[in-house]
Amino acid sequence: MSLLVVENLRVYYPIKGGILGRITGYRKAVDDVSFTVEVGETLGLVGESGSGKSSTGRAILGLERIHSGTIFFNGEDITRYVGKNRSLYRRSVQMIFQDTNSSLNPRKRVREIIAEPLRNFERLSRAEEQRRVDELLSIVEMPLSSAEKYPFEFSGGQRQRIGIARAVALKPKLIVADEPVSALDLSVRAQILKFMKQIQEEMKLAYLFISHDLGVVRHMCEKIAIMQNSRFAELGTRDEIFNNAQHPYTKELLASMPRPRKVGGGNV
């Protein structure tokens, strides 16, 4: 049984006009997209800005309204529950954001940021919560003293580690990672990807990995979907996409891909 099955997903944004701001039409952000994600698997969504890849991820998290389509999670149709904050699905599916400056509350200490999902879904004593936050900081190799600091006191790579710690706090089954390393320097990028792979193996996580960078996607993903104009141009395994691409757009993307650079023993 597949962990996540998405069938004929559509996300349309209303176009408003006139003095009264009435809806005059719709812009198709995601148009008839279908895919599956297996337990422990990483599916990459690749495309240029505006292709629909981020809208797809946000719809799966309930952050965008689904116009039509069906989402199955662990064999259950959960389409109507996607946006429910305290549903089992929301506990099982978390997100790593691109922009840590906006995704981490600057007014809260790191301890509060990481503990937030725990407080929403679990009833822990103060001591239990503190132990759990310390464990999560250790998983991403951050000093325990980090818990008492604020996000602005850390580098971009460190803030992304904090974001990862928060994302795995509830031991989810699927994480939507939206351009998680695009804002980071090359050397820091390799460290974050390494953490993500380690955590995936330890927790048997599945990733929906959204990126415009084919090199990073090739490193992280077993399956890859190429998005163009709100639809899938091509969907296949890593080898199929990189060694036997069929769609002209996929071939165009591959032709423009820079040569891989070795960082930390691996190509990125």
Side-chain angles (χ1 to χ4, degrees), residues 168-241:
V168 302
L170 294 172
K171 300 179 181 178
K173 296 178 180 179
L174 172 68
I175 286 182
V176 177
D178 191 0
E179 299 276 10
V181 296
S182 63
L184 304 177
D185 293 338
L186 185 62
S187 59
V188 179
R189 184 183 307 179
Q191 293 173 358
I192 296 300
L193 295 176
K194 176 185 173 185
F195 280 126
M196 290 182 68
K197 275 189 167 290
Q198 287 177 343
I199 292 169
Q200 181 177 34
E201 292 174 4
E202 292 169 6
M203 302 181 69
K204 295 181 174 58
L205 278 172
Y207 287 130
L208 181 62
F209 194 96
I210 300 166
S211 179
H212 68 279
D213 190 324
L214 277 167
V216 170
V217 168
R218 185 175 197 170
H219 176 70
M220 289 293 294
C221 305
E222 294 86 22
K223 284 194 316 192
I224 299 168
I226 306 294
M227 288 200 76
Q228 182 188 29
N229 298 330
S230 308
R231 308 192 77 170
F232 283 176
E234 192 162 356
L235 172 64
T237 66
R238 176 168 45 208
D239 287 343
E240 288 170 343
I241 295 296

Side-chain angles (χ1 to χ4, degrees), residues 98-116:
Q98 174 187 6
D99 184 3
T100 55
N101 288 322
S102 59
S103 64
L104 303 181
N105 191 328
R107 297 183 180 86
K108 290 186 177 181
R109 298 181 190 271
V110 167
R111 181 176 304 283
E112 295 177 273
I113 290 170
I114 296 177
E116 183 177 6

